Amino acid sequence: MSRPLASGSHADWRLGPNVPHSRHPWLQRLGTWWMRRTGWRFEGQMPDLPKFVVIVAPHTSNWDFIVGLAAKWALGFGTSWWGKASLFHPPLGWFMRAIGGIPIDRHNKHNVVEQTIAEFARHERFVLTLAPEGTRKQVDQWRSGFWHVARGAGVPICCVAFDWGRRVIRLGPTVPADLADADAGIAHIRALYADVSGRCR
């Protein structure tokens, strides 16, 4: 008997019709199989919107990428994501682009934000997924790029948590990027992760 991918009696993790979907059923089956095999569950739901920013935290291990990729496939989620440019050299780069990766130059952060805002304006449906910590090391401050992208594009932020303690991927809550003070907005979002346990190395 297969195990459910949802936690809680009212949880429905499936994407709504307005969210960008990927069109690879075999990858969806693979992602679903892997999550069930490893005991991961979804909790909550993505917003049923055509455009938003997803942030994923905490980012403490290379395993976060594997879990995130399996979750993306299981959801059938057509999201893009930023990655450092060095990851996109062939042959690995072909795979990274195929799964939604966008290479960025970390030395030109302002240009990356502006280009991403332009991507939101150019597409009818577009979702960007980011790790606000920007590194697997413990950090005192999150990088603010996700906030400036969401505010500049006029889209909300869906807060996704990888809770290794419970093996739960929490989808949401979704919050607006409507504060002019980026530091205050990021502090509010970061507090939503206070009870989430990252993977210990």
Side-chain angles (χ1 to χ4, degrees):
M1 181 176 180
S2 62
R3 290 172 288 185
L5 287 186
S7 294
S9 58
H10 302 290
D12 184 1
W13 51 271
R14 295 165 185 82
L15 298 181
N18 294 306
V19 182
H21 289 67
S22 63
R23 303 300 177 190
H24 302 288
W26 67 274
L27 286 178
Q28 192 163 11
R29 290 193 292 270
L30 177 61
T32 300
W33 172 85
W34 189 92
M35 289 189 65
R36 285 176 172 155
R37 179 76 175 177
T38 56
W40 282 88
R41 303 285 190 277
F42 289 116
E43 189 174 86
Q45 191 175 39
M46 294 284 189
D48 187 19
L49 298 170
K51 298 182 183 182
F52 53 97
V53 169
V54 173
I55 59 169
V56 178
H59 183 30
T60 58
S61 166
N62 284 327
W63 278 100
D64 294 330
F65 179 79
I66 304 299
V67 174
L69 188 59
K72 168 179 157 56
W73 289 346
L75 286 166
F77 189 25
T79 183
S80 299
W81 50 277
W82 283 347
K84 59 184 179 181
S86 61
L87 294 174
F88 290 84
H89 298 309
L92 179 61
W94 300 330
F95 174 72
M96 292 298 189
R97 287 182 172 86
I99 61 174
I102 301 173
I104 64 164
D105 178 3
R106 290 184 174 180
H107 301 293
N108 194 350
K109 296 177 182 178
H110 178 74
N111 190 44
V112 170
V113 169
E114 293 301 319
Q115 287 183 14
T116 306
I117 292 172
E119 285 295 298
F120 272 100
R122 192 166 67 88
H123 292 88
E124 291 185 4
R125 297 188 182 194
F126 186 74
V127 174
L128 181 71
T129 298
L130 304 171
E133 290 154 308
T135 177
R136 296 184 305 277
K137 299 175 183 177
Q138 185 174 359
V139 295
D140 295 326
Q141 292 185 328
W142 282 5
R143 296 183 179 182
S144 60
F146 77 92
W147 179 270
H148 294 300
V149 167
R151 183 165 171 77
V155 299
I157 299 166
C158 180
C159 305
V160 173
F162 287 1
D163 192 337
W164 282 86
R166 297 191 299 138
R167 294 233 160 187
V168 164
I169 298 174
R170 189 188 70 198
L171 309 176
T174 299
V175 299
D178 56 358
L179 296 179
D181 185 345
D183 291 339
I186 293 170
H188 168 70
I189 290 174
R190 192 170 181 179
L192 300 174
Y193 292 82
D195 61 343
V196 178
S197 301
R199 186 177 191 273
C200 297
R201 297 187 183 188

